[in-house]
Amino acid sequence: MLVARLLELDAAGALTTAHVRAGAQVGGVNVRTVWRWLDAARTEGRMERRPRARLELSDQMWEVLAQAGGNVVALHRHLKAAGGEVPSGVVAPGGAPGPSGRQGPAGPRGGAAGAG
């Protein structure tokens, strides 16, 4: 709704930074975020969030996960050993970077607050 209204103002030649600031304040986001939303609406024709990739577990994956006591690393190993496709949402053994590309610090609690 916010982006649509700002685009209307833009089409009329009346969009100002003050409008974007007010929209950001009402939306509880940074001004740069609103500008990115406007850019996405203009270039991609999209006014809603980009859909997030989701990991869908098959019945077999749930079974393996349950047998492993919820250990996702064991699920990853099983999928690799079976030669099947390993979804990007499943973590790799050995603390390899996750979907964000970042790797947490080593240690007994990883990147948990207060670790160390």
Side-chain angles (χ1 to χ4, degrees):
M1 182 82 170
L2 170 65
V3 174
R5 179 64 183 130
L6 292 174
L7 285 175
E8 288 173 11
L9 288 169
D10 190 36
L15 181 65
T16 66
T17 301
H19 290 114
V20 175
R21 278 192 202 118
Q25 186 175 13
V26 169
V29 295
N30 189 289
V31 173
R32 284 187 44 83
T33 300
V34 176
W35 284 118
R36 280 194 302 271
W37 290 347
L38 286 169
D39 184 55
R42 289 181 190 124
T43 60
E44 301 172 26
R46 157 178 76 76
M47 286 193 256
E48 64 282 338
R49 286 180 167 227
R50 187 175 289 135
R52 293 181 69 170
R54 296 184 176 268
L55 174 63
E56 298 287 332
L57 296 180
S58 67
D59 289 341
Q60 179 189 11
M61 292 168 82
W62 277 114
E63 189 174 316
V64 170
L65 194 58
Q67 289 174 357
N71 186 330
V72 178
V73 173
L75 173 62
H76 183 271
R77 287 186 190 129
H78 172 81
L79 292 172
K80 285 197 78 143
E85 182 180 337
V86 180
S88 62
V90 177
V91 298
S100 69
R102 294 187 304 157
Q103 184 172 357
R109 292 180 52 199

